[in-house]
Structures are given as C-alpha cells and as structure tokens.
C-alpha cells in the first residue's frame, strides 16, 4: 500500500536558491511541453507522448543552458505529470491541463529516485542539491517511491515521500443499507449525514474569512509594486495558509470519523465546471473544501477497506421525498424544510437529500464511480 509522509525542510540560503531553480525549471518544462503538445495536435493532429517530450529535453537544454543545473529526472517528472494530467482529462473529463503559474500558492517539483533519508541526523540528500536539514518527526519502513518538494507562499519548505510498505490494500468490506452513510455537502452546514446529523462549518473559518477580506482589501489599496504592498501580500498569504491548515485538520478528523463508523459512504459528484465560475469567496472556499474532503475520503476508504460510492448530479436529491418518491418540483433553494403532499412526511431539506444520496448510490444503475474500481492518484499534496 502506498502512503505519503510529509516533512518540513530547513534549507540554507544557497539551497533555497537551488531549490527555487528546480521549481522554475520544472514549471518551465511543463509549460513548454504543454505548448508543444497543443501545437502538434493543432498543426497535424499528432499526439506527443511522454517519450517524445523527453526526447526534446536535450535540445531545450542547449537552448536554455541554466536547465543543465537541474536534476534531469525532475524535468522528466514534469513531463510525466503533464502526461498524467492529459490522461485524467481524457479518462475522467477533469478539465484541460492548464499552464502552471508562478503565482500558484504552492510550488513543487519531484525527485523520482536517487535520494536518501537519514532519520538519525535529520537530513535528506537530494541529487544536485546535497544534504538538506529535515525534521523527520516520524519514520517509515518500505520502498521509497518519488519525493515531492514543495514551498508555500510564505516560504515554508516541505518534502513528501511516497512509500510502498509492500502490503496489499485491504479488501473492501461488504456493505448494506444499514452500514452505508449518505453525505450531502452544502453552504449552510458543511455536511449533512443521512443519520440526521449536521456537521457545522467550523467557526474559525467564518472568522478567518472576514480577516481574509480585510487583508485582501489592504493589498489592493497599496501602491502596486511597493514594499508595503509586498508586506500586505505576505500577510494575506499567511492568512490563507492558516485557513488551509485549519480546514485540512477539520477535514481529516471528520473523514476519519465517518470512515471508521461505516462500511460504505455515498456522496454526490461535485459540479466541477460550475465551480470554476464561482467568484463568491464563501462559495469558492466551500468548493475547495468539498473536493478536498472527497479526496481524503477516497484514500481513507482505500486504506481502511471501505467503499466510496459516487452518484451523478443528475439526481434531484433534495426534491424527491425519500419516503414515497414524490418529486417536489416547486422546491426553491431557500426552502430549508418542506412537507410531502403525498405521504405527509415533513422533511429537512438537507437530511432528505443525504438519505436520497445513500439510496441512489445503493441502486446500481445510478453509480457513476466506485473507489474500488477507479483508483485516484495517491494523496501527496492536498490542494488548498
Ligand atoms: Zn412522500
């Protein structure tokens, strides 16, 4: 089974410069290859493979000699990642691969092999970079796969090592109506469970959101490119980072709990296309939280032998009475409660939806994906 272990790194000044160079180079190669792929396809309908792209690296290095100072395996990894992004695009319709921006809050590159960890001396040795001080707060045993080095917008460095412990994944446990949990996510409450329980959005999030708005306004009021603007940007980045940490902590605890208590979990697929058009801050943060939540649920299910069931968005989960199947066409978004005119059951909108999600998921014709079949990528870096 694969598991990622993430550690904080403390590079010295020279190492930071070299690490940054790796990040720039990998982003440069990724974007260059993406452009090549698009051009080859537009010009003569050709699909460039990862092999084709790697074959172009030597010429690219002659053109841009600074790339030679970077671990060439890391550059090849950038091409591999691009290839994976295209695979996901074709197979899972996950959106066309985008050019990587240096403004992304987390920047990273990969080291596929030839790196060494020294737990006792708290050092990691990376090709072309040498030994970097790293705090190994926990050890692992197993075969080390690739390592991902990342830096946050506040300048914190991390290395995430993917380890294969050689053990097979547990077989998914059988599940039934009684051992399956339906989850409906929303803005009013973070999640509503088919058991009737409502999981509130953590209070700190609301507070931090207000602070975020203030800091954002301050950045926009400062003179462009000034020192004061730089400072304001740093403050904003720290606030973003804090929110991301708090949120991830909340999501890990919640997902661990629901995965431990149930054999299968049913969720509704998120509307990814709709998410990208969202400019409202609360909604945008919600979108990120839900997709992160589902990612965590997916790998926790895999690790503990549970099943994640996903249903499509085409099922009107809030409008159908879970008791008799009556469809309430008049239900508005503002209606938090309603009474079924057919059987007289009084519904809480979200609890009814969660129960329906569970019911639909258990009817096989509505299944659009089962985590046991469609294995997602390993949990390396969670999106903010
Ligand atoms: Zn009814």
């Amino acid at each position: 089974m694969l598991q990622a272990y993430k550690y904080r790194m403390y590079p010295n000044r020279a190492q930071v410069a070299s690490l940054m160079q790796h990040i720039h180079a990998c982003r440069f190669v990724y974007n260059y290859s993406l452009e090549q792929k698009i051009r080859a396809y537009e010009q003569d309908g050709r699909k460039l493979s990862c092999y084709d792209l790697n074959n172009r690296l030597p010429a690219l290095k002659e053109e841009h000699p600074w790339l030679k100072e970077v671990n060439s395996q890391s550059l090849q990894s950038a091409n591999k990642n691009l290839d994976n992004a295209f695979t996901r695009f074709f197979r899972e319709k996950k959106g066309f691969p985008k050019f990587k921006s240096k403004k992304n809050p987390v920047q990273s590159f990969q080291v596929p092999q030839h790196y060494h960890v020294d737990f006792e001396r708290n050092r990691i040795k990376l090709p072309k970079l040498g030994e970097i001080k790293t705090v190994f707060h926990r050890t692992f045993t197993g075969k080390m796969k690739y390592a991902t080095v990342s830096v946050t917008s506040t300048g914190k460095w991390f290395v995430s090592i993917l380890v294969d412990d050689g053990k097979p994944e547990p077989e998914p446990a059988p599940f039934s109506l009684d051992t399956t949990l339906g989850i409906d996510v929303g803005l009013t409450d973070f999640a509503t469970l088919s058991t009737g329980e409502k999981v509130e959005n953590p209070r700190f999030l609301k507070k931090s959101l207000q602070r975020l708005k203030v800091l954002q306004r301050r950045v926009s009021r400062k003179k462009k490119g000034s020192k004061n603007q730089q400072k304001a940007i740093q403050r904003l980045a720290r606030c973003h980072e804090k929110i991301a940490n708090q949120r991830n902590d909340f999501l890990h605890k919640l997902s661990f709990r629901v995965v431990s208590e149930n054999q299968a979990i049913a969720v509704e697929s998120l509307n990814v296309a709709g998410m990208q058009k969202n400019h409202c801050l609360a909604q945008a943060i919600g979108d990120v939280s839900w997709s992160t939540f589902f990612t965590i649920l997916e790998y926790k299910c895999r690790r503990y032998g549970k099943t994640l069931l996903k249903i499509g968005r085409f099922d009107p989960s809030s409008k159908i009475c879970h008791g008799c199947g009556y469809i309430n066409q008049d239900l508005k978004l503002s209606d938090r409660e309603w009474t079924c005119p057919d059987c007289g059951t009084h519904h809480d909108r979200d609890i009814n939806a969660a129960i329906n999600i569970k019911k639909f998921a258990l009817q096989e014709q509505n299944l659009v994906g089962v985590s046991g079949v469609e294995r997602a990528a390993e949990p390396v870096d969670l999106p903010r």
Side-chain angles (χ1 to χ4, degrees):
M1 217 171 19
L2 295 174
Q3 196 177 345
Y5 294 83
K6 195 171 179 179
Y7 304 103
R8 179 89 186 263
M9 289 201 313
Y10 295 90
N12 62 33
R13 199 177 278 195
Q15 287 167 336
V16 167
S18 190
L19 286 165
M20 282 315 291
Q21 198 172 31
H22 274 72
I23 282 176
H24 293 323
C26 290
R27 189 181 57 232
F28 179 81
V29 167
Y30 185 98
N31 288 341
Y32 170 82
S33 295
L34 178 53
E35 204 187 313
Q36 295 289 308
K37 266 182 97 103
I38 293 171
R39 195 173 296 166
Y41 187 76
E42 282 177 352
Q43 281 175 358
D44 31 42
R46 222 151 39 92
K47 279 185 185 167
L48 294 181
S49 68
C50 197
Y51 179 78
D52 297 327
L53 295 172
N54 284 341
N55 276 343
R56 292 173 181 223
L57 282 177
L60 192 65
K61 281 184 185 173
E62 287 310 316
E63 218 177 300
H64 304 276
W66 62 280
L67 291 176
K68 290 179 191 167
E69 290 165 42
V70 170
N71 178 4
S72 53
Q73 287 197 330
S74 295
L75 301 179
Q76 289 173 9
S77 266
N79 282 336
K80 186 93 204 311
N81 289 340
L82 177 67
D83 209 50
N84 291 341
F86 270 98
T87 309
R88 277 197 299 277
F89 167 65
F90 288 120
R91 203 182 49 199
E92 297 163 31
K93 317 239 171 337
K94 280 268 168 85
F96 192 81
K98 279 191 227 143
F99 287 96
K100 280 192 198 291
S101 162
K102 63 176 167 191
K103 285 183 180 159
N104 286 350
V106 176
Q107 302 274 345
S108 65
F109 70 93
Q110 285 175 344
V111 183
Q113 53 182 357
H114 303 311
Y115 62 93
H116 302 278
V117 296
D118 187 336
F119 289 133
E120 267 163 41
R121 289 174 53 245
N122 277 318
R123 293 283 189 280
I124 187 165
K125 194 175 176 196
L126 301 173
K128 297 249 181 188
L129 289 150
E131 283 194 342
I132 299 175
K133 189 178 158 193
T134 306
V135 175
F136 290 108
H137 59 281
R138 60 190 292 198
T139 60
F140 55 78
T141 50
K143 194 170 182 291
M144 292 192 293
K145 309 288 238 187
Y146 62 83
T148 306
V149 175
S150 60
V151 62
T152 67
S153 49
T154 57
K156 293 191 183 82
W157 289 90
F158 294 93
V159 60
S160 174
I161 301 170
L162 192 67
V163 179
D164 185 357
D165 63 8
K167 292 175 197 143
E169 280 179 9
E171 283 291 318
F175 54 90
S176 64
L177 191 67
D178 294 336
T179 54
T180 302
L181 181 76
I183 303 180
D184 179 52
V185 291
L187 274 179
T188 319
D189 291 291
F190 176 77
T192 305
L193 313 182
S194 56
T195 53
E197 187 191 339
K198 296 198 166 197
V199 182
E200 264 188 76
N201 267 307
R203 202 158 301 157
F204 60 76
L205 208 61
K206 253 180 238 158
K207 255 180 148 177
S208 305
L209 274 179
Q210 282 163 355
R211 175 100 185 117
L212 206 59
K213 273 185 196 153
V214 172
L215 291 174
Q216 240 156 19
R217 217 171 304 134
R218 279 191 199 160
V219 169
S220 58
R221 280 195 194 141
K222 297 279 188 290
K223 208 179 134 198
K224 250 194 158 178
S226 66
K227 260 226 161 100
N228 280 329
Q229 197 205 24
Q230 280 304 314
K231 276 188 211 159
I233 289 174
Q234 273 300 306
R235 252 177 246 128
L236 179 64
R238 275 202 293 274
C239 185
H240 267 297
E241 193 174 282
K242 193 176 160 197
I243 292 177
N245 288 343
Q246 287 175 322
R247 193 187 49 213
N248 284 341
D249 188 52
F250 163 73
L251 296 178
H252 272 287
K253 281 178 184 148
L254 177 62
S255 52
F256 181 73
R257 200 193 97 204
V258 296
V259 168
S260 322
E261 290 170 355
N262 301 280
Q263 301 300 336
I265 290 164
V267 294
E268 207 172 28
S269 299
L270 293 170
N271 177 5
V272 181
M275 277 162 64
Q276 282 155 356
K277 289 183 205 113
N278 254 314
H279 295 296
C280 160
L281 191 60
Q283 178 77 51
I285 298 235
D287 288 345
V288 181
S289 298
W290 303 321
S291 65
T292 309
F293 181 53
F294 289 178
T295 309
I296 298 175
L297 271 181
E298 186 139 25
Y299 78 74
K300 281 213 194 324
C301 278
R302 231 160 54 207
R303 190 186 304 164
Y304 298 107
K306 308 296 174 80
T307 305
L308 184 69
L309 305 161
K310 288 187 205 160
I311 65 158
R313 282 217 68 106
F314 48 83
D315 301 306
S317 50
S318 338
K319 290 183 178 171
I320 299 180
C321 167
H322 73 79
C324 70
Y326 173 86
I327 301 176
N328 184 353
Q329 294 291 5
D330 304 328
L331 192 73
K332 287 193 240 34
L333 215 81
S334 54
D335 296 336
R336 305 311 310 167
E337 289 174 35
W338 59 285
T339 303
C340 174
D342 230 32
C343 70
T345 317
H346 188 69
H347 293 300
D348 171 287
R349 180 202 181 91
D350 299 334
I351 296 173
N352 181 53
I355 295 172
N356 279 328
I357 289 171
K358 167 175 159 169
K359 282 177 83 174
F360 294 151
L362 291 172
Q363 296 169 346
E364 214 192 29
Q365 67 270 28
N366 285 316
L367 283 183
V368 291
V370 180
S371 79
V373 180
E374 254 182 67
R375 302 260 128 129
E378 49 288 320
V380 183
D381 280 310
L382 295 171
R384 293 166 57 109

